[in-house]
Amino acid sequence: MWDVLRQDDNGNQVRVARHQTRVSALAQVLTFESGVPHKQMYWVDGPDEPQLATNRDLYLHLLRIGRDARAASWSLSALLRSLWKVGSSLRHEHGLEADQVGALFTAAAGSPPPPFDPAWSAKDLSLAGDPFTQSDWEKVLLSQIADLEDFVTTPARHVDGVAPAPRPEGSGPRATPARWRNFDPAAYLECAVAGTFGGWDVADGSRVPRDGGPSASPERELGEVPWLELSRLLVCGQLFA
């Protein structure tokens, strides 16, 4: 069992909730920390053993979140806006352990998304180099959110499964490729984790191997995930097939 604890302004500690999994406890902390600004502290108390120890664990976790989001009629834009909101509390982290990655997406799928900010469309979201920080990751994410908003007024026109991003006049520079393949949460998250970490198996029902190709990707343990890899996760969600 994992407890979410809170310390108030007077130093008093109280248990807020008890969770069956470490990821769900971490997700609740992210939700609290990304909400209304406060001076209270939240943390998780419980065993340190990771719940998502391998790429296979993370793949199945994100696969389930994507399928649930699609079943609940979430748009990809809404999910990514919620991801931006809960991810804001991680700006001081140099990287995330796999359980934190899983918690980030769990919290996003369980939090109401903020509205689209029109300023994002014209904002300079370009990167000076590789995305090594949380703020760089945020630029990648906001670039995708701005693209998806453009598709609302200019529907996607696919050529060989790929649609060019409209990016109309007045759009600011963006950190992502100007082409899209995946537009719903389930496809986006499955392709994101499969393209970045692997962990898939044809028995999962989401991935068809190429002729003569393997029926599963190798399973491996996951260490700390840097923001560079987390940014790649987003781009793979956009483009991986």
Side-chain angles (χ1 to χ4, degrees):
M1 302 293 287
W2 288 263
D3 293 332
V4 173
L5 302 179
R6 179 185 67 210
Q7 180 173 298
D8 63 23
D9 299 349
N10 298 317
N12 300 313
Q13 295 183 8
V14 62
R15 185 175 73 194
V16 177
R18 173 161 287 182
H19 292 261
Q20 295 289 332
T21 69
R22 185 168 184 256
V23 169
S24 64
L26 290 168
Q28 186 175 35
V29 170
L30 282 175
T31 301
F32 286 146
E33 293 293 350
S34 61
V36 178
H38 57 80
K39 296 182 180 179
Q40 298 172 335
M41 293 175 55
Y42 294 91
W43 69 96
V44 172
D45 182 56
D48 290 332
E49 290 79 8
Q51 176 186 341
L52 307 177
T54 69
N55 60 337
R56 176 68 176 159
D57 296 333
L58 184 59
Y59 176 87
L60 291 174
H61 186 76
L62 294 193
L63 184 69
R64 182 169 56 253
I65 290 174
R67 288 174 173 175
D68 288 347
R70 182 166 59 189
S73 299
W74 274 70
S75 70
L76 180 56
S77 174
L79 181 64
L80 296 187
R81 281 182 275 124
S82 185
L83 185 66
W84 169 78
K85 178 183 177 182
V86 297
S88 64
S89 64
L90 297 169
R91 58 175 51 94
H92 300 300
E93 299 288 341
H94 296 293
L96 305 181
E97 57 182 85
D99 279 1
Q100 288 177 298
V101 177
L104 177 62
F105 285 91
T106 297
S111 302
F116 178 79
D117 184 347
W120 293 338
S121 292
K123 187 175 182 179
D124 184 353
L125 298 171
S126 60
L127 295 170
D130 289 329
F132 288 122
T133 66
Q134 190 275 349
S135 61
D136 292 336
W137 173 85
E138 188 174 83
K139 287 182 177 181
V140 174
L141 183 56
L142 288 176
S143 295
Q144 293 186 332
I145 293 170
D147 274 354
L148 291 171
E149 188 68 16
D150 292 342
F151 279 119
V152 173
T153 55
T154 307
R157 296 182 179 180
H158 290 82
V159 177
D160 295 329
V162 177
R167 300 191 181 178
E169 184 177 354
S171 299
R174 295 178 187 169
T176 50
R179 57 190 188 279
W180 278 79
R181 186 182 296 273
N182 303 307
F183 288 89
D184 77 271
Y188 180 98
L189 289 184
E190 194 280 332
C191 288
V193 66
T196 307
F197 300 105
W200 57 271
D201 189 299
V202 293
D204 303 323
S206 291
R207 189 150 293 275
V208 178
R210 296 176 181 175
D211 292 342
S215 60
S217 66
E219 187 167 351
R220 60 183 175 87
E221 292 187 358
L222 293 177
E224 183 178 80
V225 183
W227 289 108
L228 178 64
E229 204 162 15
L230 290 166
S231 298
R232 183 185 176 208
L233 182 75
L234 300 179
V235 175
C236 283
Q238 176 180 333
L239 283 171
F240 194 70

